[in-house]
Amino acid sequence: MSDTWDERIAAYWASADDARPAAALSEMRALVEERPADDPEALYEWASVHDFLGREHEAIPLYRAALDRGLAGARKPQAVIQLASSLRNTGEPEAAVELLRAQPSDEVTGDAAQAFLALALHDCGRHDEALATATRALARTLPMYRHAVESYAEALTERSGDA
């Protein structure tokens, strides 16, 4: 077999089917078991399949373990975003906010962290701050009206008292 582990992981995700959870877990387990038990990339992929299948409570400690063991590269920002999303989905939106506030935009995830931050802020009842966060991220993509949209986002931030 000449495919690298990363290529086989990519192929797995290209065909992953959440309607077949047992098969999804079994197939990913086989890939993960090719790596050492404490391999951060394998832990991340194992967390991701749990998350994909709606098993966020199981995914959370796996994401944390991957990050604690030095997950790096393109997977790291994805792990932070996915961990924060899982925390939000399991009733811990404040923890998600804390993770996402420090997550910069990057080439892999773009402004996805800002989108998930807006959702977490909304869940925390911080609606103006959530809308301002989403609007700021959107403003960066606008070929026209960027300044106006940024100004409206700033006004929302001031109104919410988070200036």
Side-chain angles (χ1 to χ4, degrees):
M1 181 180 277
S2 62
D3 290 338
T4 67
W5 188 79
D6 283 328
E7 289 168 337
R8 287 182 285 122
I9 289 290
Y12 168 88
W13 285 115
S15 65
D17 183 357
D18 62 353
R20 298 177 34 244
L25 286 169
S26 176
E27 292 165 15
M28 180 56 79
R29 183 185 319 273
L31 289 166
V32 166
E33 287 179 349
E34 294 177 17
R35 308 288 284 257
D38 64 348
D39 180 81
E41 288 154 346
L43 287 165
Y44 164 75
E45 296 298 343
W46 190 232
S48 295
V49 74
H50 283 81
D51 200 354
F52 173 71
L53 295 172
R55 299 175 178 192
E56 290 95 340
H57 287 287
E58 296 170 56
I60 290 169
L62 295 167
Y63 285 133
R64 286 184 170 143
L67 291 165
D68 289 347
R69 285 171 177 77
L71 185 65
R75 286 183 172 102
K76 183 176 182 179
Q78 294 172 67
V80 171
I81 291 168
Q82 290 169 212
L83 170 58
S85 178
S86 291
L87 288 166
R88 177 184 161 263
N89 288 336
T90 59
E92 297 184 62
E94 287 290 349
V97 168
E98 291 307 311
L99 274 174
L100 294 168
R101 281 220 186 276
Q103 187 63 31
S105 297
D106 64 50
E107 291 181 18
V108 174
T109 61
D111 282 328
Q114 296 304 298
F116 286 94
L117 175 58
L119 291 166
L121 288 165
H122 183 274
D123 286 357
C124 291
R126 295 155 63 182
H127 306 293
D128 286 347
E129 189 179 355
L131 182 56
T133 298
T135 302
R136 271 192 208 94
L138 174 63
R140 291 190 278 270
T141 70
L142 300 176
M144 295 178 64
Y145 309 110
R146 179 179 183 163
H147 180 71
V149 171
E150 288 172 339
S151 294
Y152 288 130
E154 186 59 33
L156 284 165
T157 301
E158 289 170 5
R159 185 170 86 183
S160 70
D162 296 320

